[in-house]
C-alpha cells in the first residue's frame, strides 16, 4: 500500500495491462472492491484508492466538493504517470465518474457508473444526515445505512460480509463522511450528461433505495450509446450480486 501523502492507494496487477481505477462509495474504503479483485486482476492493472476523508487518506476540513473528489483522481493519475485508464465507481465513486466524464474525458477509455446518479437525493435529507453524524457519530446511522446497502435476504445469507462492510462505515472519520455528504448534496450534473461521449456502462440495483433504478436510467438515456444493466440487489450490488456484476463489468471493459 502506498500514499501520495494525501490519497492512500494500491496499484496491483500485470505491468503493461490496461489500468482500471476503482472509486469507493460514501462510508467505505478501497476494500469495498475486494469481491471484484480476483476477476479484475486477470485482465487489468487495478488502481484502488481511499477517497478523501475515507480509510487512510487525508481528512481535510469539511465540506468537500465533487470537483475536489474528481481532482484527487486526476492528481493520482498524474503522480503515477498514467495517461489514460478505465474507470469504475459506485455511488459517490460513480458521481466522481460522471464528473470525470464531463470534465476530463481525454483521460479515460470507458466509464462504469454503478448504483449512482447525476444528482442523488435532496439537500434537506443530506443536511439532516450531516447534523446527525456530527452530533451522534457514525454509530447512529449504521443500522439505517446497512439496511439501504443490502437486502434483508442478503443480510441473513451473508452476515460476515455485511459485518465487514459495516466496519468500514463505522471506522469512517465523521469529518470525512460529512464533508463527502456535502459534495454529494451539492452535485447536479443532469444537464451535462449528454456531453459525455465515452463508452459508458450503468449498473443499477432493483432494490436500491439510495440510488433507485430511475437514477441510473436517466444517466443511460442521456449518454449516447450507454449500456444499462439492472441487478437483483440493493445499493452495494458489487457485493450482493458479485458474479453477475463482475461478468457484466468485464464484458463491457474488454468488449
Amino acid at each position: 500500500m502506498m500514499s501520495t501523502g494525501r490519497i492512500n492507494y494500491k496499484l496491483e496487477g500485470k505491468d503493461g495491462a490496461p489500468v482500471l481505477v476503482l472509486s469507493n462509495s460514501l462510508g467505505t474504503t478501497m476494500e469495498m472492491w475486494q469481491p471484484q479483485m480476483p476477476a479484475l486482476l486477470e485482465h487489468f492493472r487495478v488502481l484502488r484508492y481511499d477517497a478523501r476523508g475515507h480509510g487512510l487518506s487525508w481528512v481535510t476540513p469539511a465540506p468537500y466538493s465533487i470537483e475536489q473528489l474528481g481532482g484527487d483522481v486526476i492528481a493520482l493519475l498524474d503522480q503515477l504517470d498514467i495517461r489514460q485508464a478505465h474507470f469504475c465507481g459506485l455511488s459517490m465513486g460513480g458521481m466522481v465518474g460522471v464528473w470525470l466524464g464531463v470534465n476530463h474525458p481525454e483521460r479515460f477509455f470507458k466509464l462504469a457508473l454503478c448504483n449512482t446518479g447525476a444528482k442523488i437525493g435532496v439537500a434537506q435529507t443530506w443536511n439532516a444526515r450531516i447534523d446527525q453524524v456530527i452530533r451522534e457519530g457514525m454509530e447512529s446511522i449504521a443500522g439505517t445505512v446497512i439496511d439501504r446497502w443490502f437486502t434483508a435476504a442478503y443480510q441473513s445469507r451473508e452476515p460476515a460480509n455485511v459485518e465487514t462492510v459495516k466496519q468500514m462505515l463505522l471506522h469512517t472519520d465523521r469529518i470525512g463522511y460529512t464533508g463527502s455528504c456535502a459534495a454529494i448534496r451539492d452535485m447536479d450534473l443532469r444537464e451535462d450528461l449528454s456531453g459525455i461521449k465515452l463508452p459508458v456502462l450503468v449498473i443499477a440495483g432493483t432494490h436500491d433505495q439510495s440510488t433507485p433504478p430511475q437514477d441510473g436510467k436517466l444517466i443511460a438515456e442521456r449518454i449516447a450509446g450507454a449500456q444499462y444493466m439492472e441487478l437483483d440487489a440493493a445499493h452495494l450490488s458489487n457485493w450482493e450480486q458479485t458474479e453477475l456484476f463482475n461478468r457484466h463489468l468485464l464484458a463491457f471493459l474488454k468488449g
Side-chain angles (χ1 to χ4, degrees), residues 15-93:
D15 286 346
V19 176
L20 168 62
V21 180
L22 298 178
S23 185
N24 59 286
S25 61
L26 175 68
T28 66
T29 71
M30 68 170 84
E31 297 304 323
M32 71 158 280
W33 296 108
Q34 204 52 48
Q36 281 62 59
M37 293 306 293
L40 294 178
L41 286 172
E42 289 182 28
H43 306 280
F44 299 98
R45 288 192 83 197
V46 179
L47 175 58
R48 290 184 286 170
Y49 72 99
D50 294 332
R52 177 190 297 249
H54 290 69
L56 299 176
S57 287
W58 64 339
V59 179
T60 55
Y64 304 161
S65 67
I66 202 69
E67 290 81 7
Q68 280 179 305
L69 301 181
D72 289 339
V73 176
I74 298 301
L76 189 54
L77 292 176
D78 287 347
Q79 184 201 321
L80 296 171
D81 200 26
I82 297 168
R83 194 176 64 82
Q84 273 186 303
H86 297 295
F87 182 93
C88 176
L90 190 146
S91 190
M92 180 177 76

Side-chain angles (χ1 to χ4, degrees), residues 92-160:
M92 180 177 76
M95 299 182 90
V96 170
V98 171
W99 186 88
L100 291 168
V102 170
N103 291 281
H104 293 277
E106 73 287 349
R107 301 301 295 271
F108 299 94
F109 299 116
K110 296 181 178 183
L111 303 175
L113 308 174
C114 311
N115 299 85
T116 195
K119 176 177 171 56
I120 295 179
V122 296
Q124 183 179 2
T125 305
W126 287 113
N127 289 335
R129 171 99 57 102
I130 289 166
D131 290 344
Q132 182 176 350
V133 170
I134 289 171
R135 274 198 331 269
E136 301 171 35
M138 296 301 294
E139 298 82 1
S140 69
I141 63 164
T144 304
V145 169
I146 290 296
D147 284 343
R148 293 171 77 86
W149 281 0
F150 300 111
T151 62
Y154 184 81
Q155 289 186 54
S156 63
R157 192 170 69 244
E158 299 288 352

Side-chain angles (χ1 to χ4, degrees), residues 153-182:
Y154 184 81
Q155 289 186 54
S156 63
R157 192 170 69 244
E158 299 288 352
N161 286 350
V162 173
E163 185 60 27
T164 295
V165 176
K166 185 178 181 180
Q167 288 303 314
M168 293 185 216
L169 177 67
L170 288 172
H171 285 91
T172 302
D173 186 279
R174 73 171 76 184
I175 299 301
Y177 185 86
T178 56
S180 301
C181 286

